[in-house]
Amino acid sequence: MAIRVCLLILILSAACVESKYMVYNTSQGIVQGKLNVHLVPHSHDDVGWLKTIDQYYVGSNNSIQGACVQNVLDSLVPALLADKNRKFIYVEQAFFQRWWRDQNEAVQSIVKQLVNSGQLELINGGWCMHDEATSHYIDMIDQTTLGHRYIKEQFNVTPRIGWQIDPFGHSAVQAYLLGAEVGFDSLFFGRIDYQDRAKRKIEKSLEVIWQGSKSFGSSAQIFAGAFPENYEPPSGFYFEVNDDSPVVQDNINLFDYNVHERVNDFVAAALSQANITRTNHIMWTMGTDFKYQYAHTWFRNMDKLIHYVNQDGRVNALYSTPTIYTDAKYAEHLSWPLKTDDYFPYADRVNAYWTGYFTSRPALKGYVRTMSAYYLASRQLEFFKGRSEKGPTTDSLADALAIVQHHDAVSGTSKQHVADDYAKRLFIGYKEAEEIVADSLACMVESAFKSGCRSPVTKFQQCPLLNISYCPATEIDLSAGKKLAVVVYNSLGWKREDVVRIPVINENVTVQDSNGQEIESQLLPLANVSLGMRDFYATAYVGKPPSVTPRYWLAFTASVPPLGYSTYVISAAKRKGATLVTQTSYKSTGNPNDIIEVGPGNLKLIYSANEGKLTQYVNRRSSVNASIGQSYSYYSSYDGSQDLEYFQASGAYVFRPNGTFPITSEGQIHSTVLRGPVFDEVHQRINSWIYQITRVYKEKNHAEVEFTVGPIPIDDGIGKEIVTQLTTAMKSNKTFYTDASGRDFLERVRDYRADWNLVVDQPVAGNYYPINLGMYLKDDSKEFSIMVDRSVGGSSIVDGQLELMLHRRLLHDDSRGVAEALNETVCVLDKCAGLTIQGKYYLRIDPLGEGAKWRRSFGQEIYSPFLLAFTEQDGDKWTNFKVPVFSAMDRSYGLPDNIAMITLEELEDGKVLFRLAHLYEVGEDKDLSVMASVELKKLFADKKINKITEMSLSANQEREEMIKKKLVWKVEGSKNGEFKSLRGGPVDPIKLVIELAPMEIRTFTIEFTSLSASVMKGLML
Ligand SMILES: [Zn+2]
């Protein structure tokens, strides 16, 4: 041993002799002509996963996981100060802002210096690292905007790099919208399919130019790099206190001196990565989950590695960041391989498709979507009333919604106690926003904005549990002369008609519209299954059983102006009143030709009277007549017991079916049809734990299916994943289309990937895709679409058929870290039951080329349902409201059918954040895939716009500035400038008209002359 050390001393020259007083040279920058190893120190801090966000932050509950984000950030500051060459990136603003608020001014000022000098880089910069499969693009924008706003305010910095290292597959929307359109020059991630990765390594195509949008092509492209393995360091280079990688021991007076070995290890790992990477630049992600809790060990070892590796000279090691790395790649002036579409689905090895999480925790996913829409609407109402510094505000709902976009939150891959924490945060945020909504509506109906509207007298109630038919506000006895006023708020920019349904206890009721005219309405008896669910869940959520039991759903069509409300008054009927539906139960007739026709309008669904099965879809208006069937089945979840090499059960992340089993109807009565003037319902009890109601509306050309699924039985010891299939005879030729994060539609071909020759080991799970908006298929004459009310997994396993996974209940963990089986239960006292899910999907068949209109415009209506507020009234007049109908827009105005207003929000500084989205892709619809324009003078009737500034998507810089800074990448085999994407022109400050090209989202800050409530005066209709 002694001899070897002496030899090393000779080889390594004087540096070793003086190691006692060692100063490491870490100043090395990029060296041309050498392989540059960019060491990127980072910590991946999940915004909740095995522990809650707060537990991770303070470092409690450590028996689950020894993780404390406070430690990371606390230890980072002195570690960076110790050597100005050291660098670090920090990503999750939900944690960073918690920490920032805890620091004194001295520390804050040091951190500002570290950010200014580039030692500490804040990248990605959203509140969390959002999921890309189950997050809706509006939520992705909101949570990114929130994080970017703080970074801008505190540090005057605009992040340049996307860092989505852990999400389980990657969305086209991430590349072009949350990447290019927020001004990112590059995007890095760790998880792509293992087959894809293997091929890309050989072709050196892990790094690509990703054009995620058909509509924007190269004008919204981004440099995208998938890591060679994951987001961790190469094997043997982990330096957390307890890690077992060999530390660099360079003190010759101590045993185990290993500089030479460690340098050789370093060079070998670098060369091996260089073999699969273009250019002389490779990135090492030096960190992983919750690392740098004692930052010194990492930096001490990296200091030494940089020093000795550079002394060795074979490769060049440097402290770096993804920004420096990106600029180095750019400086090479290379052309890069082109990537279009997306990186779904993701499998990390054989039989391990991460497609289960598209559906995992469907109740949480539904709640997130509901809250997302509520947040959008409540910010509008907050804007009308004027933001209150004292509160309540919508800020805590913003915070909760941003947190829950995290890739272990809405994805459904956290532990149960963490999922509960997410739901609790949403509820707390909701309760505060609910006050704003109630106050703002009260001000409006009383027309009291002109006097400032401090304390309106009208008290509005809302019904967040309306989905389980629980709404105390409407379950009042109207027979004694009381009246119920229902304010129906429409957050969309166009006028809209939709059916409102509320539970009531009286049979003789009537509905009057905003003019006091009685309107058509119908009463439907509440199904026993709904009442059972209502009692159990209301008790579980509210803490006590409901005091009254409603007998009916009262349904009527509300017509509401854009960005406004209408009032409806419900009272005891003196004359005719609401029509009680007729109810017919059907049993088997024995005759296969007997049919049941359902639907009071153009659309008819035909059922076989003998079996109660849906057979035909007929729309007289569009002349569509197509055979269609609907069924349920379940996949039994694989338990991993037969696996020899890798244990792989179906779990929270992974979908691994072990056989499919049809679920057939039980019982004598197979369907009950309720017929009324507004809509018909078909009630079907499929079995003891699946109930469905299919609605066909008089005024709508789609059918709506409300399903109640659960508790999924597990007494046979087998987990189950419940799907519904809609089957047509259409020849779809293996091809179907699914949305990317609720936005673009991507073509999917069964058992096929555009980027590599797929080896099919999981013919079902490997063909599942995330659905946020909907999916469709087509043949040469028709297209068949399904739209969803939350994110779910979906596929087309056989031609002509669309399949949605609605619910899953599992008994095994899939060994990806969460260490719990996804077996959700709901308890009342000591009585627990498996979770029951209630949700909706919508289906429609159109002539070929005409489906987009419905998918896009109705899709936005699904996202933004009417917001309902209730109050009791007395008196002789039909309503006490001074202003029973309201629109913030000019009376004659509404947004075009292809435009949605996705943000209207008063910021803390009084400016207004305003976003418009064109809903159609290029070529999607002959009438609506065109340039559209929005007239702000009419949209903000009677408000004066002082200044309007177009911003980047996350509103942290002017768009013009962003475009100027942007790197222009070259794509292999294409000449730049070939593709001309269409964009709206600049906004003339006098005309104030905003143009939007297909798929364009434009973000503005607007300064109004006065935001005082008095301007509302003139807006009342
Ligand atoms: Zn993660």
Side-chain angles (χ1 to χ4, degrees), residues 44 46 166 231 289 406-408:
H44 176 67
D46 289 308
D166 194 24
Y231 53 83
D289 299 5
H406 167 62
H407 58 270
D408 294 301

Side-chain angles (χ1 to χ4, degrees), residues 540-579:
Y541 294 155
V542 182
K544 57 176 196 285
S547 52
V548 293
T549 301
R551 292 168 60 202
Y552 302 101
W553 282 108
L554 172 66
F556 59 92
T557 300
S559 171
V560 188
L563 204 57
Y565 64 78
S566 296
T567 304
Y568 292 85
V569 175
I570 297 159
S571 53
K574 294 190 182 79
R575 287 169 291 133
K576 190 173 144 276
T579 309

Side-chain angles (χ1 to χ4, degrees), residues 680-739:
D680 290 355
E681 284 189 347
V682 183
H683 287 238
Q684 291 173 305
R685 183 181 179 274
I686 309 299
N687 64 16
S688 60
W689 49 275
I690 301 180
Y691 192 87
Q692 76 168 18
I693 302 171
T694 306
R695 296 192 181 96
V696 185
Y697 294 89
K698 184 178 173 194
E699 302 293 343
K700 292 184 192 292
N701 292 290
H702 64 257
E704 168 185 311
V705 181
E706 182 180 288
F707 54 87
T708 305
V709 177
I712 300 172
I714 47 167
D715 40 14
D716 55 2
I718 297 171
K720 292 172 192 67
E721 320 195 25
I722 315 306
V723 297
T724 187
Q725 288 112 347
L726 283 302
T727 309
T728 68
M730 291 165 67
K731 293 186 172 50
S732 52
N733 193 22
K734 292 187 165 186
T735 308
F736 58 109
Y737 302 81
T738 66
D739 68 272

Side-chain angles (χ1 to χ4, degrees), residues 735-753:
T735 308
F736 58 109
Y737 302 81
T738 66
D739 68 272
S741 312
R743 193 107 179 109
D744 310 65
F745 276 98
L746 271 62
E747 183 182 275
R748 312 298 190 181
V749 179
R750 196 161 62 247
D751 296 336
Y752 173 83
R753 304 287 189 270

Side-chain angles (χ1 to χ4, degrees), residues 44-49 92 129 165-168 191 231 289-290 406-408:
H44 176 67
D45 297 344
D46 289 308
V47 177
W49 178 38
E92 296 83 6
M129 187 183 293
I165 60 175
D166 194 24
F168 327 132
R191 297 188 185 274
Y231 53 83
D289 299 5
F290 300 98
H406 167 62
H407 58 270
D408 294 301

